[in-house]
PDB file of all heavy atoms in Angstrom:
ATOM      1  N   ASP A 116       0.809  -1.218   0.000  1.00 88.00           N
ATOM      2  CA  ASP A 116       0.000   0.000   0.000  1.00 88.00           C
ATOM      3  C   ASP A 116       0.842   1.267   0.000  1.00 88.00           C
ATOM      4  O   ASP A 116       0.306   2.378   0.071  1.00 88.00           O
ATOM      5  CB  ASP A 116      -0.932   0.006   1.206  1.00 88.00           C
ATOM      6  CG  ASP A 116      -0.181  -0.165   2.524  1.00 88.00           C
ATOM      7  OD1 ASP A 116       1.066  -0.318   2.487  1.00 88.00           O
ATOM      8  OD2 ASP A 116      -0.832  -0.152   3.591  1.00 88.00           O
ATOM      9  N   GLY A 117       2.170   1.081  -0.064  1.00 85.00           N
ATOM     10  CA  GLY A 117       3.053   2.235  -0.062  1.00 85.00           C
ATOM     11  C   GLY A 117       3.467   2.712   1.310  1.00 85.00           C
ATOM     12  O   GLY A 117       4.300   3.610   1.431  1.00 85.00           O
ATOM     13  N   GLU A 118       2.885   2.131   2.347  1.00 91.00           N
ATOM     14  CA  GLU A 118       3.260   2.513   3.704  1.00 91.00           C
ATOM     15  C   GLU A 118       4.675   2.024   4.011  1.00 91.00           C
ATOM     16  O   GLU A 118       5.023   0.884   3.689  1.00 91.00           O
ATOM     17  CB  GLU A 118       2.279   1.934   4.712  1.00 91.00           C
ATOM     18  CG  GLU A 118       0.947   2.652   4.772  1.00 91.00           C
ATOM     19  CD  GLU A 118       1.121   4.093   5.240  1.00 91.00           C
ATOM     20  OE1 GLU A 118       1.823   4.307   6.251  1.00 91.00           O
ATOM     21  OE2 GLU A 118       0.569   4.991   4.586  1.00 91.00           O
ATOM     22  N   PRO A 119       5.500   2.851   4.632  1.00 94.00           N
ATOM     23  CA  PRO A 119       6.894   2.462   4.880  1.00 94.00           C
ATOM     24  C   PRO A 119       7.021   1.360   5.921  1.00 94.00           C
ATOM     25  O   PRO A 119       6.398   1.423   6.978  1.00 94.00           O
ATOM     26  CB  PRO A 119       7.551   3.757   5.352  1.00 94.00           C
ATOM     27  CG  PRO A 119       6.436   4.592   5.882  1.00 94.00           C
ATOM     28  CD  PRO A 119       5.229   4.238   5.068  1.00 94.00           C
ATOM     29  N   ARG A 120       7.821   0.358   5.605  1.00 94.00           N
ATOM     30  CA  ARG A 120       8.198  -0.663   6.575  1.00 94.00           C
ATOM     31  C   ARG A 120       9.484  -0.267   7.302  1.00 94.00           C
ATOM     32  O   ARG A 120       9.733  -0.699   8.420  1.00 94.00           O
ATOM     33  CB  ARG A 120       8.400  -2.003   5.865  1.00 94.00           C
ATOM     34  CG  ARG A 120       7.101  -2.603   5.338  1.00 94.00           C
ATOM     35  CD  ARG A 120       7.366  -3.802   4.438  1.00 94.00           C
ATOM     36  NE  ARG A 120       6.146  -4.524   4.124  1.00 94.00           N
ATOM     37  CZ  ARG A 120       6.027  -5.421   3.155  1.00 94.00           C
ATOM     38  NH1 ARG A 120       7.083  -5.690   2.381  1.00 94.00           N
ATOM     39  NH2 ARG A 120       4.885  -6.033   2.942  1.00 94.00           N
ATOM     40  N   ILE A 121      10.299   0.510   6.611  1.00 94.00           N
ATOM     41  CA  ILE A 121      11.511   1.089   7.177  1.00 94.00           C
ATOM     42  C   ILE A 121      11.238   2.580   7.343  1.00 94.00           C
ATOM     43  O   ILE A 121      10.580   3.189   6.494  1.00 94.00           O
ATOM     44  CB  ILE A 121      12.708   0.862   6.233  1.00 94.00           C
ATOM     45  CG1 ILE A 121      13.000  -0.626   6.063  1.00 94.00           C
ATOM     46  CG2 ILE A 121      13.952   1.602   6.719  1.00 94.00           C
ATOM     47  CD1 ILE A 121      13.445  -1.329   7.326  1.00 94.00           C
ATOM     48  N   PRO A 122      11.690   3.199   8.432  1.00 94.00           N
ATOM     49  CA  PRO A 122      11.401   4.628   8.635  1.00 94.00           C
ATOM     50  C   PRO A 122      11.632   5.464   7.387  1.00 94.00           C
ATOM     51  O   PRO A 122      12.620   5.295   6.674  1.00 94.00           O
ATOM     52  CB  PRO A 122      12.361   5.015   9.758  1.00 94.00           C
ATOM     53  CG  PRO A 122      12.558   3.751  10.526  1.00 94.00           C
ATOM     54  CD  PRO A 122      12.504   2.641   9.522  1.00 94.00           C
ATOM     55  N   ALA A 123      10.683   6.360   7.117  1.00 95.00           N
ATOM     56  CA  ALA A 123      10.756   7.204   5.933  1.00 95.00           C
ATOM     57  C   ALA A 123      11.968   8.131   6.008  1.00 95.00           C
ATOM     58  O   ALA A 123      12.499   8.414   7.085  1.00 95.00           O
ATOM     59  CB  ALA A 123       9.480   8.020   5.801  1.00 95.00           C
ATOM     60  N   SER A 124      12.407   8.613   4.846  1.00 96.00           N
ATOM     61  CA  SER A 124      13.500   9.581   4.801  1.00 96.00           C
ATOM     62  C   SER A 124      13.128  10.795   5.645  1.00 96.00           C
ATOM     63  O   SER A 124      11.990  11.280   5.586  1.00 96.00           O
ATOM     64  CB  SER A 124      13.771  10.009   3.359  1.00 96.00           C
ATOM     65  OG  SER A 124      14.181   8.917   2.572  1.00 96.00           O
ATOM     66  N   GLN A 125      14.077  11.294   6.422  1.00 96.00           N
ATOM     67  CA  GLN A 125      13.770  12.381   7.339  1.00 96.00           C
ATOM     68  C   GLN A 125      15.040  13.052   7.835  1.00 96.00           C
ATOM     69  O   GLN A 125      16.146  12.523   7.684  1.00 96.00           O
ATOM     70  CB  GLN A 125      12.965  11.861   8.534  1.00 96.00           C
ATOM     71  CG  GLN A 125      13.627  10.721   9.270  1.00 96.00           C
ATOM     72  CD  GLN A 125      12.648   9.965  10.156  1.00 96.00           C
ATOM     73  OE1 GLN A 125      12.608  10.218  11.343  1.00 96.00           O
ATOM     74  NE2 GLN A 125      11.880   9.059   9.560  1.00 96.00           N
ATOM     75  N   TRP A 126      14.833  14.226   8.448  1.00 97.00           N
ATOM     76  CA  TRP A 126      15.932  14.972   9.075  1.00 97.00           C
ATOM     77  C   TRP A 126      15.823  14.756  10.574  1.00 97.00           C
ATOM     78  O   TRP A 126      14.865  15.195  11.205  1.00 97.00           O
ATOM     79  CB  TRP A 126      15.816  16.447   8.742  1.00 97.00           C
ATOM     80  CG  TRP A 126      16.973  17.295   9.213  1.00 97.00           C
ATOM     81  CD1 TRP A 126      17.547  17.316  10.432  1.00 97.00           C
ATOM     82  CD2 TRP A 126      17.688  18.267   8.424  1.00 97.00           C
ATOM     83  NE1 TRP A 126      18.569  18.213  10.489  1.00 97.00           N
ATOM     84  CE2 TRP A 126      18.682  18.817   9.266  1.00 97.00           C
ATOM     85  CE3 TRP A 126      17.575  18.723   7.112  1.00 97.00           C
ATOM     86  CZ2 TRP A 126      19.558  19.812   8.822  1.00 97.00           C
ATOM     87  CZ3 TRP A 126      18.448  19.698   6.679  1.00 97.00           C
ATOM     88  CH2 TRP A 126      19.433  20.239   7.522  1.00 97.00           C
ATOM     89  N   LEU A 127      16.816  14.098  11.156  1.00 96.00           N
ATOM     90  CA  LEU A 127      16.866  13.874  12.595  1.00 96.00           C
ATOM     91  C   LEU A 127      17.590  15.054  13.230  1.00 96.00           C
ATOM     92  O   LEU A 127      18.801  15.216  13.060  1.00 96.00           O
ATOM     93  CB  LEU A 127      17.580  12.564  12.902  1.00 96.00           C
ATOM     94  CG  LEU A 127      16.890  11.322  12.309  1.00 96.00           C
ATOM     95  CD1 LEU A 127      17.774  10.102  12.428  1.00 96.00           C
ATOM     96  CD2 LEU A 127      15.561  11.089  12.988  1.00 96.00           C
ATOM     97  N   ASP A 128      16.829  15.874  13.923  1.00 96.00           N
ATOM     98  CA  ASP A 128      17.339  17.137  14.445  1.00 96.00           C
ATOM     99  C   ASP A 128      18.163  16.903  15.707  1.00 96.00           C
ATOM    100  O   ASP A 128      17.632  16.562  16.759  1.00 96.00           O
ATOM    101  CB  ASP A 128      16.168  18.068  14.742  1.00 96.00           C
ATOM    102  CG  ASP A 128      16.619  19.471  15.080  1.00 96.00           C
ATOM    103  OD1 ASP A 128      17.817  19.766  14.909  1.00 96.00           O
ATOM    104  OD2 ASP A 128      15.772  20.279  15.511  1.00 96.00           O
ATOM    105  N   MET A 129      19.492  17.068  15.573  1.00 95.00           N
ATOM    106  CA  MET A 129      20.413  16.898  16.693  1.00 95.00           C
ATOM    107  C   MET A 129      21.266  18.160  16.795  1.00 95.00           C
ATOM    108  O   MET A 129      22.192  18.363  16.010  1.00 95.00           O
ATOM    109  CB  MET A 129      21.310  15.678  16.484  1.00 95.00           C
ATOM    110  CG  MET A 129      20.578  14.356  16.395  1.00 95.00           C
ATOM    111  SD  MET A 129      19.846  13.867  17.963  1.00 95.00           S
ATOM    112  CE  MET A 129      21.300  13.661  18.982  1.00 95.00           C
ATOM    113  N   PRO A 130      20.951  19.063  17.732  1.00 95.00           N
ATOM    114  CA  PRO A 130      21.711  20.323  17.833  1.00 95.00           C
ATOM    115  C   PRO A 130      23.201  20.086  18.038  1.00 95.00           C
ATOM    116  O   PRO A 130      23.613  19.137  18.704  1.00 95.00           O
ATOM    117  CB  PRO A 130      21.085  20.999  19.052  1.00 95.00           C
ATOM    118  CG  PRO A 130      19.699  20.418  19.138  1.00 95.00           C
ATOM    119  CD  PRO A 130      19.837  18.994  18.682  1.00 95.00           C
ATOM    120  N   ALA A 131      24.001  20.957  17.437  1.00 95.00           N
ATOM    121  CA  ALA A 131      25.452  20.927  17.615  1.00 95.00           C
ATOM    122  C   ALA A 131      25.794  21.737  18.861  1.00 95.00           C
ATOM    123  O   ALA A 131      25.583  22.952  18.897  1.00 95.00           O
ATOM    124  CB  ALA A 131      26.148  21.491  16.387  1.00 95.00           C
ATOM    125  N   THR A 132      26.325  21.092  19.876  1.00 93.00           N
ATOM    126  CA  THR A 132      26.563  21.741  21.169  1.00 93.00           C
ATOM    127  C   THR A 132      28.035  21.799  21.553  1.00 93.00           C
ATOM    128  O   THR A 132      28.377  22.334  22.606  1.00 93.00           O
ATOM    129  CB  THR A 132      25.799  20.980  22.271  1.00 93.00           C
ATOM    130  OG1 THR A 132      26.232  19.613  22.286  1.00 93.00           O
ATOM    131  CG2 THR A 132      24.294  21.027  22.010  1.00 93.00           C
ATOM    132  N   MET A 133      28.933  21.245  20.723  1.00 95.00           N
ATOM    133  CA  MET A 133      30.359  21.185  21.063  1.00 95.00           C
ATOM    134  C   MET A 133      31.147  22.148  20.179  1.00 95.00           C
ATOM    135  O   MET A 133      31.467  21.831  19.034  1.00 95.00           O
ATOM    136  CB  MET A 133      30.886  19.760  20.888  1.00 95.00           C
ATOM    137  CG  MET A 133      30.230  18.735  21.788  1.00 95.00           C
ATOM    138  SD  MET A 133      30.775  17.036  21.391  1.00 95.00           S
ATOM    139  CE  MET A 133      32.560  17.182  21.630  1.00 95.00           C
ATOM    140  N   PRO A 134      31.467  23.343  20.669  1.00 95.00           N
ATOM    141  CA  PRO A 134      32.261  24.287  19.865  1.00 95.00           C
ATOM    142  C   PRO A 134      33.703  23.823  19.748  1.00 95.00           C
ATOM    143  O   PRO A 134      34.199  23.034  20.560  1.00 95.00           O
ATOM    144  CB  PRO A 134      32.155  25.592  20.658  1.00 95.00           C
ATOM    145  CG  PRO A 134      31.906  25.164  22.065  1.00 95.00           C
ATOM    146  CD  PRO A 134      31.107  23.900  21.980  1.00 95.00           C
ATOM    147  N   GLY A 135      34.361  24.273  18.697  1.00 95.00           N
ATOM    148  CA  GLY A 135      35.766  23.958  18.505  1.00 95.00           C
ATOM    149  C   GLY A 135      36.024  22.756  17.641  1.00 95.00           C
ATOM    150  O   GLY A 135      37.175  22.433  17.345  1.00 95.00           O
ATOM    151  N   THR A 136      34.984  22.066  17.210  1.00 96.00           N
ATOM    152  CA  THR A 136      35.152  20.886  16.358  1.00 96.00           C
ATOM    153  C   THR A 136      33.902  20.673  15.521  1.00 96.00           C
ATOM    154  O   THR A 136      32.783  20.990  15.954  1.00 96.00           O
ATOM    155  CB  THR A 136      35.421  19.620  17.194  1.00 96.00           C
ATOM    156  OG1 THR A 136      35.509  18.481  16.317  1.00 96.00           O
ATOM    157  CG2 THR A 136      34.312  19.379  18.205  1.00 96.00           C
ATOM    158  N   HIS A 137      34.095  20.142  14.303  1.00 97.00           N
ATOM    159  CA  HIS A 137      32.949  19.783  13.471  1.00 97.00           C
ATOM    160  C   HIS A 137      32.326  18.458  13.909  1.00 97.00           C
ATOM    161  O   HIS A 137      31.186  18.163  13.546  1.00 97.00           O
ATOM    162  CB  HIS A 137      33.385  19.663  12.001  1.00 97.00           C
ATOM    163  CG  HIS A 137      33.776  20.975  11.395  1.00 97.00           C
ATOM    164  ND1 HIS A 137      32.986  22.097  11.440  1.00 97.00           N
ATOM    165  CD2 HIS A 137      34.897  21.339  10.701  1.00 97.00           C
ATOM    166  CE1 HIS A 137      33.583  23.096  10.806  1.00 97.00           C
ATOM    167  NE2 HIS A 137      34.756  22.660  10.353  1.00 97.00           N
ATOM    168  N   LEU A 138      33.044  17.658  14.656  1.00 97.00           N
ATOM    169  CA  LEU A 138      32.558  16.361  15.112  1.00 97.00           C
ATOM    170  C   LEU A 138      31.684  16.547  16.345  1.00 97.00           C
ATOM    171  O   LEU A 138      32.149  17.035  17.384  1.00 97.00           O
ATOM    172  CB  LEU A 138      33.737  15.440  15.425  1.00 97.00           C
ATOM    173  CG  LEU A 138      33.394  14.037  15.945  1.00 97.00           C
ATOM    174  CD1 LEU A 138      32.596  13.261  14.906  1.00 97.00           C
ATOM    175  CD2 LEU A 138      34.670  13.288  16.312  1.00 97.00           C
ATOM    176  N   GLN A 139      30.425  16.148  16.232  1.00 97.00           N
ATOM    177  CA  GLN A 139      29.468  16.253  17.329  1.00 97.00           C
ATOM    178  C   GLN A 139      29.114  14.843  17.806  1.00 97.00           C
ATOM    179  O   GLN A 139      28.472  14.074  17.085  1.00 97.00           O
ATOM    180  CB  GLN A 139      28.219  17.003  16.868  1.00 97.00           C
ATOM    181  CG  GLN A 139      28.492  18.407  16.337  1.00 97.00           C
ATOM    182  CD  GLN A 139      29.016  19.335  17.413  1.00 97.00           C
ATOM    183  OE1 GLN A 139      28.470  19.431  18.513  1.00 97.00           O
ATOM    184  NE2 GLN A 139      30.123  20.037  17.104  1.00 97.00           N
ATOM    185  N   ASP A 140      29.559  14.509  19.008  1.00 96.00           N
ATOM    186  CA  ASP A 140      29.424  13.140  19.506  1.00 96.00           C
ATOM    187  C   ASP A 140      27.972  12.680  19.575  1.00 96.00           C
ATOM    188  O   ASP A 140      27.671  11.510  19.315  1.00 96.00           O
ATOM    189  CB  ASP A 140      30.074  13.024  20.892  1.00 96.00           C
ATOM    190  CG  ASP A 140      31.590  13.147  20.827  1.00 96.00           C
ATOM    191  OD1 ASP A 140      32.150  12.936  19.733  1.00 96.00           O
ATOM    192  OD2 ASP A 140      32.210  13.467  21.865  1.00 96.00           O
ATOM    193  N   ASP A 141      27.053  13.592  19.922  1.00 96.00           N
ATOM    194  CA  ASP A 141      25.646  13.204  20.018  1.00 96.00           C
ATOM    195  C   ASP A 141      25.107  12.740  18.665  1.00 96.00           C
ATOM    196  O   ASP A 141      24.269  11.830  18.593  1.00 96.00           O
ATOM    197  CB  ASP A 141      24.803  14.368  20.538  1.00 96.00           C
ATOM    198  CG  ASP A 141      25.032  14.639  22.017  1.00 96.00           C
ATOM    199  OD1 ASP A 141      25.664  13.776  22.677  1.00 96.00           O
ATOM    200  OD2 ASP A 141      24.596  15.689  22.512  1.00 96.00           O
ATOM    201  N   GLN A 142      25.585  13.365  17.599  1.00 97.00           N
ATOM    202  CA  GLN A 142      25.115  12.979  16.271  1.00 97.00           C
ATOM    203  C   GLN A 142      25.645  11.601  15.885  1.00 97.00           C
ATOM    204  O   GLN A 142      24.934  10.809  15.256  1.00 97.00           O
ATOM    205  CB  GLN A 142      25.530  14.037  15.248  1.00 97.00           C
ATOM    206  CG  GLN A 142      24.872  15.389  15.492  1.00 97.00           C
ATOM    207  CD  GLN A 142      25.273  16.446  14.489  1.00 97.00           C
ATOM    208  OE1 GLN A 142      25.869  16.149  13.442  1.00 97.00           O
ATOM    209  NE2 GLN A 142      24.956  17.707  14.782  1.00 97.00           N
ATOM    210  N   ILE A 143      26.889  11.289  16.267  1.00 97.00           N
ATOM    211  CA  ILE A 143      27.435   9.960  15.999  1.00 97.00           C
ATOM    212  C   ILE A 143      26.681   8.907  16.799  1.00 97.00           C
ATOM    213  O   ILE A 143      26.357   7.821  16.287  1.00 97.00           O
ATOM    214  CB  ILE A 143      28.933   9.923  16.333  1.00 97.00           C
ATOM    215  CG1 ILE A 143      29.708  10.942  15.478  1.00 97.00           C
ATOM    216  CG2 ILE A 143      29.489   8.521  16.112  1.00 97.00           C
ATOM    217  CD1 ILE A 143      29.625  10.722  14.001  1.00 97.00           C
ATOM    218  N   ALA A 144      26.375   9.221  18.068  1.00 96.00           N
ATOM    219  CA  ALA A 144      25.613   8.273  18.898  1.00 96.00           C
ATOM    220  C   ALA A 144      24.232   8.035  18.296  1.00 96.00           C
ATOM    221  O   ALA A 144      23.733   6.898  18.300  1.00 96.00           O
ATOM    222  CB  ALA A 144      25.503   8.806  20.324  1.00 96.00           C
ATOM    223  N   ARG A 145      23.618   9.105  17.747  1.00 96.00           N
ATOM    224  CA  ARG A 145      22.300   8.941  17.126  1.00 96.00           C
ATOM    225  C   ARG A 145      22.397   8.073  15.884  1.00 96.00           C
ATOM    226  O   ARG A 145      21.530   7.243  15.613  1.00 96.00           O
ATOM    227  CB  ARG A 145      21.726  10.320  16.768  1.00 96.00           C
ATOM    228  CG  ARG A 145      20.337  10.245  16.163  1.00 96.00           C
ATOM    229  CD  ARG A 145      19.352   9.695  17.202  1.00 96.00           C
ATOM    230  NE  ARG A 145      18.097   9.301  16.590  1.00 96.00           N
ATOM    231  CZ  ARG A 145      17.846   8.112  16.078  1.00 96.00           C
ATOM    232  NH1 ARG A 145      18.802   7.174  16.058  1.00 96.00           N
ATOM    233  NH2 ARG A 145      16.670   7.828  15.588  1.00 96.00           N
ATOM    234  N   LEU A 146      23.452   8.244  15.124  1.00 97.00           N
ATOM    235  CA  LEU A 146      23.667   7.409  13.949  1.00 97.00           C
ATOM    236  C   LEU A 146      23.784   5.945  14.349  1.00 97.00           C
ATOM    237  O   LEU A 146      23.191   5.064  13.695  1.00 97.00           O
ATOM    238  CB  LEU A 146      24.928   7.858  13.214  1.00 97.00           C
ATOM    239  CG  LEU A 146      25.435   6.936  12.103  1.00 97.00           C
ATOM    240  CD1 LEU A 146      24.417   6.841  10.967  1.00 97.00           C
ATOM    241  CD2 LEU A 146      26.789   7.408  11.579  1.00 97.00           C
ATOM    242  N   CYS A 147      24.522   5.654  15.394  1.00 97.00           N
ATOM    243  CA  CYS A 147      24.707   4.267  15.824  1.00 97.00           C
ATOM    244  C   CYS A 147      23.384   3.641  16.245  1.00 97.00           C
ATOM    245  O   CYS A 147      23.117   2.468  15.939  1.00 97.00           O
ATOM    246  CB  CYS A 147      25.729   4.196  16.966  1.00 97.00           C
ATOM    247  SG  CYS A 147      27.420   4.589  16.455  1.00 97.00           S
ATOM    248  N   ARG A 148      22.545   4.395  16.923  1.00 96.00           N
ATOM    249  CA  ARG A 148      21.224   3.850  17.303  1.00 96.00           C
ATOM    250  C   ARG A 148      20.388   3.549  16.061  1.00 96.00           C
ATOM    251  O   ARG A 148      19.685   2.529  16.005  1.00 96.00           O
ATOM    252  CB  ARG A 148      20.494   4.832  18.220  1.00 96.00           C
ATOM    253  CG  ARG A 148      21.152   5.022  19.573  1.00 96.00           C
ATOM    254  CD  ARG A 148      20.193   5.618  20.592  1.00 96.00           C
ATOM    255  NE  ARG A 148      19.675   6.912  20.194  1.00 96.00           N
ATOM    256  CZ  ARG A 148      20.265   8.079  20.464  1.00 96.00           C
ATOM    257  NH1 ARG A 148      21.448   8.101  21.088  1.00 96.00           N
ATOM    258  NH2 ARG A 148      19.708   9.216  20.086  1.00 96.00           N
TER     259      ARG A 148
END
């Protein structure tokens, strides 16, 4: 019926809170989940 079995494409909003680096640990942790 076209309903997604896998989560639909989307933007997972994870604020960048660590100044001084482009690497944001919370975003990596969200990716792993």
Side-chain angles (χ1 to χ4, degrees):
D116 55 358
E118 284 296 312
R120 291 170 170 165
I121 297 295
S124 298
Q125 55 197 261
W126 186 312
L127 299 169
D128 189 10
M129 298 291 296
T132 58
M133 298 174 59
T136 177
H137 292 308
L138 179 62
Q139 302 295 311
D140 291 340
D141 288 348
Q142 295 180 13
I143 300 299
R145 182 65 194 88
L146 170 64
C147 291
R148 294 199 301 272

